[in-house]
Every structure is written in structure tokens, then in C-alpha cells.
Amino acid sequence: MDTAERLIESAQELLWERGYVGTSPKAIQDRAGAGQGSMYHHFRGKPDLALTAMRRSAAQLRAEADAQMDAADGTSFDRAKAYLLRERDAVRGCRVGRMTMDPEVVADDDLREPVRETFAWLRERLAGILAEGVAAGELRPGLDPVDTAATLAAVVQGGYVLARAAGSQEPFDQAVRGAVGLLSGWAAHPGD
């Protein structure tokens, strides 16, 4: 692995663990086993490296979620359920959602963009799956795919917050099980 790649991966991990404010260039360099000159050879500074790392984390998260939703056989409900119930380390939190808690990220349009983009993508992807379900008669017609997708995304992100606050996976698991239960109430049954 080359130096630039080690710096990006180290920044990804440290941003997830400590956030943007808590991640120093020195910590990234130490974890990557790279010197200051190497970092500044590949990146213009901490914001440039952090943005690259955040874009990479966002792309990885989207790919993982996409694969989970596409791999699920069955109805649109099954695909949404697969996303909700996929295995996560909730106490560690969401590597993309974590960035919303950082005042410097939220205040900087460039740093905030991968976060905004990822959550917009997620809501749109879930809304598409739910709309397919309504159109196919798998979900009852009164379901609003856009509002429901936003709710499901909020449950997952809120579940991370609850798990981190409790220091336990259970509040997250409870939140997503509850969302699955609510969504199952919209599943069409023969005779509906």
C-alpha cells in the first residue's frame, strides 16, 4: 500500500473514532507511518485529506448499503428490512453520520457535502424501493415512500446515537426492530 493510501485509510479511521476536530495531522501521520512531508506531498493539508477520506467512507457506506438492498431476495419490504437489520457496530456509530456532530464539518460546505450527498442518496434509494413496493402492490397504497424513507434513515442514525449514549448495541437493535415492525404494518396482504 502506498503512502497516500495509508494516509487516507488512517484519516478514515481517525475521523470515525475522533471526528474532524479531534483528528490532528500528526495523529494521521503517526497511524499511517508517514512523515509530514509525505502528507503534504499528496494532500494540500488536513481539510484536503479529510475530504478525500470522507468521500471514500461515504462511497464505501453506499456500496455496502446498496449491496445489502440488492442482495435481499423478495419484496421491497424484504429489501428495506435487509438494510435496517444489516449487521452494524452501533456503539462505534456511523462513520458518515459521525461527521454531522463536528462543528467544523457542518460549518464547511465542502466537508459537509459528502455527508449531505450520502444521506440524500440513502433516502432516495430507500424511497425508490418503497415506491416499487407500492406500485407492485407489495405495500399498501397509502404509504408515502419519500417520508417513510426519511423516517427509516432517521431511525438508523438515531439508533446509533442511542447505542453510543448507552454504550450498548441493544438500543440500536430495538429501534430498527421497531421500524421493521412499523413498516410491516404497510405490507399488503391478500384481500387488502
Side-chain angles (χ1 to χ4, degrees):
M1 183 183 318
D2 70 5
T3 303
E5 191 62 29
R6 287 195 323 269
L7 286 163
I8 294 167
E9 287 187 7
S10 296
Q12 283 181 278
E13 287 298 313
L14 287 165
L15 289 169
W16 194 1
E17 291 169 15
R18 302 178 185 179
Y20 182 83
V21 172
T23 299
S24 69
K26 177 78 171 123
I28 296 168
Q29 293 159 20
D30 288 349
R31 185 166 289 189
Q36 182 176 357
S38 293
M39 181 176 148
Y40 290 99
H41 171 74
H42 295 288
F43 303 97
R44 290 185 308 274
K46 177 183 170 181
D48 184 39
L49 174 54
L51 183 58
T52 301
M54 289 168 61
R55 284 182 178 144
R56 169 92 52 91
S57 291
Q60 289 169 341
L61 186 137
R62 286 191 306 268
E64 291 166 8
D66 230 1
Q68 191 70 44
M69 289 184 264
D70 287 342
D73 292 329
T75 66
S76 57
F77 169 75
D78 294 327
R79 294 170 65 205
K81 179 180 170 183
Y83 167 73
L84 289 167
L85 297 179
R86 79 180 171 92
E87 192 171 321
R88 296 172 173 91
D89 180 357
V91 175
R92 190 164 185 209
C94 175
R95 59 186 151 174
V96 174
R98 165 84 168 86
M99 297 297 101
T100 64
M101 306 310 280
D102 201 303
E104 288 190 33
V105 170
V106 173
D108 184 304
D109 291 342
D110 290 335
L111 290 175
R112 191 178 62 247
E113 184 58 17
V115 178
R116 186 208 60 76
E117 200 174 77
T118 299
F119 288 124
W121 171 86
L122 177 61
R123 290 189 316 271
E124 185 177 303
R125 180 76 163 92
L126 287 168
I129 289 170
L130 297 172
E132 289 171 18
V134 171
E138 299 166 352
L139 297 169
R140 294 194 321 229
L143 178 87
D144 183 310
V146 173
D147 289 351
T148 304
T151 300
L152 297 179
V155 164
V156 170
Q157 290 304 307
Y160 281 124
V161 171
L162 296 173
R164 287 177 62 89
S168 167
Q169 180 79 25
E170 182 53 30
F172 178 90
D173 292 344
Q174 189 177 31
V176 295
R177 285 192 312 263
V180 168
L182 292 171
L183 188 56
S184 72
W186 284 97
H189 304 287
D192 279 353

